[in-house]
Amino acid sequence: MLESARKNLILAALPLSQYARIAEHLKSIDLLTGQVIYEPGESLDFVYFPTTCTTSLVLQTQDGETSELAMTGRDGLVGIPLVLGGASMNHRVMVQRAGRAFRMSADVFEAELLHSKALQHLALSYVQAMITQMSQSILCIGHHAVSERLCYWLLFNGDALPEEPIKITHEMIAHMLGVRRESVTQALGKLQSAGLVSSGRGKIAILDREGLTRQVCECFSLVTAEKQRLYERALRMSSVESETLQTGDALSTPDARLLQKYQDAYDFAPVGFVSLNAQCQVVHTNLAGAIMLGVQRSSRSKHSFLSFISAEDHERFLAFHQSVLSGKCRDHLEVTLSGTGRRADMTVRIEGTLDDLGEECALVLIDVTQEKKLMADLLEQERQQHQDFSVKPSGMEWFKDKDGRVLSASSSLIDKFRPMTGPGTLTDLDVDTVCRHSLQPHAVQPVSGT
């Protein structure tokens, strides 16, 4: 049992002496597909360390519709609120792929968190990895095709037990992805025709993992790379802290936690943070910034920021960059990020400032593509309507009635109607006024002369 439990990466990363201390508290448990481990609001009596099973953090609407928020496999644990000082689960936790996990009582786990810095670092790093996965899930649901999201789902669950098929129904996958079952069946059919998977009788076998990685959206590689980075960082922190404590130079716990909070705020901000050196090369970026630029955060290459923006913006940005480095920062600058294989061109508003050392240009990138498109559509609508109204049929006039509606009618009909109305009932309008009113919810009302 001691060896099989260490198939879970968190347990495997613990020093053997610390793992031996908790091994007697780990109990093997077999979980079935669709089994609910926790419901929202339910107290956390156990923490689970999956080894061959996978679980889903599921959101559910009042109408019963479900959508998967994040997945947990042998790289993590179920019971994150315990790591953060909570006592109950906020969402439903459901088994996706049947298999084995090892559970430990909540009391033992919380006590071990206080006693073992290694377990604390590993658990907190996994919390951060889950935040990354949930943040990316929001983007994935709104912008990626069902087939790409299905590949993500298959790759994640296939890695839990590569040699065995995944026992799951199309209906279950549809609930997890928040789509119709027919969409899942259609997407699976295309993957099967391409020779990437085989599907039948409640089982899906992955035949070509490399092929699936070429079909999946970028979310899979981003989340996988971030989890690996955090996992390695946790191991380094545990090692460094162990050595530092021996010399008596460890950071105080409040300082370390405050530093981590700032790091989390930077990493998972909804806007892009990008730092450039004096040569206009990218030296740092947060997760949102990496997605905007289409680069891997783990890459050591220093890309020129100019390679990401349209050629016509190069001169303006270089002037802006030099202005920031000289300490004469402008309010903002708008440029176009060139399209990638995953997205079209993007308009971003950039705000810049000089870093504390005066060596790097710190940029904030805000996506204003939809805002600019909406403005352009309104201007085009106004231009088109101004053109239409400027061609006035012979003998026709425009008026506004007391309810604010714009009317068009023949001059002779208005002349006959005006004596029968009170003063101010009809107001003459010119072309510009008609255009402004036509952009409001009042429709132009034709008046028949019959």
Side-chain angles (χ1 to χ4, degrees):
M1 189 275 283
L2 185 145
E3 182 181 352
S4 61
R6 285 170 72 86
K7 288 183 179 179
N8 179 277
L9 296 185
I10 291 179
L11 297 179
L14 290 174
L16 191 58
S17 60
Q18 295 184 29
Y19 175 76
R21 189 171 61 239
I22 65 173
E24 62 178 325
H25 300 288
L26 292 169
K27 178 182 178 181
S28 174
I29 181 171
D30 293 321
L31 300 173
L32 303 176
T33 300
Q35 181 177 343
V36 176
I37 300 177
Y38 285 116
E39 289 283 8
E42 189 174 344
S43 62
L44 291 165
D45 298 325
F46 298 95
V47 60
Y48 293 78
F49 297 90
T51 52
T52 60
C53 70
T54 60
T55 66
S56 288
L57 200 61
V58 180
L59 292 172
Q60 185 171 12
T61 67
Q62 292 181 347
D63 298 329
E65 297 294 327
T66 60
S67 183
E68 184 180 74
L69 188 60
M71 294 182 282
T72 297
R74 68 187 188 95
D75 58 338
L77 60 88
V78 176
I80 279 179
L82 292 173
V83 182
L84 302 175
S88 61
M89 184 62 68
N90 296 326
H91 305 94
R92 173 180 292 177
V93 180
M94 181 183 298
V95 179
Q96 267 192 8
R97 181 173 187 175
R100 178 166 296 178
F102 289 81
R103 76 180 187 186
M104 176 193 300
S105 73
D107 292 339
V108 172
F109 178 71
E110 289 176 316
E112 193 60 26
L113 279 177
L114 296 175
H115 189 76
S116 171
K117 287 295 183 181
L119 179 59
Q120 185 181 108
H121 287 317
L122 289 163
L124 286 174
S125 291
Y126 183 67
V127 171
Q128 192 171 344
M130 285 290 282
I131 294 173
T132 300
Q133 189 181 164
M134 289 186 285
S135 301
Q136 201 67 27
S137 174
I138 296 172
L139 176 71
C140 194
I141 291 172
H143 296 279
H144 295 150
V146 173
S147 59
E148 293 176 310
R149 295 172 58 204
L150 176 61
C151 289
Y152 184 119
W153 193 94
L154 290 171
L155 286 168
F156 186 95
N157 284 276
D159 288 346
L161 206 60
E163 65 274 12
E164 294 186 12
I166 305 170
K167 296 179 181 179
I168 193 79
T169 64
H170 294 190
E171 187 73 21
M172 182 72 172
I173 299 176
H175 281 307
M176 294 299 101
L177 299 184
V179 298
R180 297 183 301 111
R181 182 182 59 80
E182 293 79 6
S183 299
V184 172
T185 301
Q186 184 179 18
L188 271 174
K190 292 180 180 179
L191 295 178
Q192 187 162 347
S193 298
L196 304 181
V197 302
S198 64
S199 174
R201 296 186 178 276
K203 294 182 180 180
I204 302 174
I206 297 176
L207 305 179
D208 184 356
R209 189 185 186 282
E210 291 300 317
L212 282 181
T213 60
R214 292 191 292 269
Q215 298 290 326
V216 73
C217 57
E218 73 266 23
C219 299
F220 182 74
S221 61
L222 284 170
V223 171
T224 301
E226 187 67 358
K227 284 196 294 186
Q228 183 63 28
R229 183 188 73 83
L230 292 168
Y231 181 75
E232 293 173 355
R233 175 174 171 272
L235 293 179
R236 290 196 303 271
M237 287 181 65
S238 298
S239 176
V240 170
E241 185 169 35
S242 176
E243 295 174 2
T244 307
L245 284 173
Q246 294 176 6
T247 64
D249 294 328
L251 283 173
S252 66
T253 300
D255 287 342
R257 290 178 178 173
L258 182 60
L259 182 62
Q260 184 64 50
K261 287 182 179 179
Y262 279 119
Q263 181 66 38
D264 291 346
Y266 171 85
D267 282 341
F268 304 113
V271 297
F273 290 124
V274 178
S275 294
L276 307 182
N277 60 18
Q279 290 72 45
C280 212
Q281 296 173 320
V282 177
V283 291
H284 299 292
T285 178
N286 70 342
L287 185 60
I291 293 173
M292 286 182 173
L293 300 182
V295 299
Q296 296 285 347
R297 295 182 67 190
S298 57
S299 174
R300 298 298 181 185
S301 302
K302 291 185 177 180
H303 304 279
S304 171
F305 189 78
L306 296 179
S307 66
F308 300 109
I309 64 177
S310 61
E312 52 267 29
D313 290 329
H314 284 189
E315 186 175 347
R316 289 193 308 118
F317 182 80
L318 284 173
F320 175 79
H321 179 247
Q322 290 303 313
S323 177
V324 172
L325 290 178
S326 66
K328 302 174 182 177
C329 177
R330 301 188 206 175
D331 290 338
H332 68 269
L333 175 74
E334 287 187 2
V335 300
T336 300
L337 290 181
S338 303
T340 67
R342 296 290 183 179
R343 62 161 178 79
D345 289 354
M346 175 189 295
T347 303
V348 295
R349 178 180 292 116
I350 299 179
E351 299 180 3
T353 188
L354 197 62
D355 74 341
D356 293 338
L357 299 178
E359 298 176 351
E360 294 181 357
C361 175
L363 305 180
V364 179
L365 277 58
I366 305 172
D367 183 4
V368 295
T369 307
Q370 292 302 317
E371 176 185 330
K372 301 292 287 186
K373 183 178 184 301
L374 178 61
M375 182 61 67
D377 290 345
L378 288 174
L379 290 175
E380 174 59 23
Q381 182 182 357
E382 183 176 3
R383 186 199 66 78
Q384 184 62 47
Q385 291 183 341
H386 192 283
Q387 179 180 336
D388 294 341
F389 285 125
S390 64
V391 184
K392 183 172 61 176
S394 177
M396 297 294 290
E397 300 291 344
W398 288 304
F399 299 88
K400 183 174 70 173
D401 66 10
K402 61 181 180 180
D403 295 324
R405 293 174 298 182
V406 177
L407 309 173
S408 63
S410 66
S411 301
S412 58
L413 179 61
I414 292 296
D415 290 340
K416 294 178 181 179
F417 180 72
R418 195 185 297 274
M420 296 183 289
T421 64
T425 303
L426 296 179
T427 304
D428 295 348
L429 300 177
D430 57 19
V431 172
D432 290 335
T433 306
V434 171
C435 291
R436 287 197 300 272
H437 277 278
S438 66
L439 290 174
Q440 299 174 359
H442 304 294
V444 176
Q445 306 289 332
V447 178
S448 172
T450 58

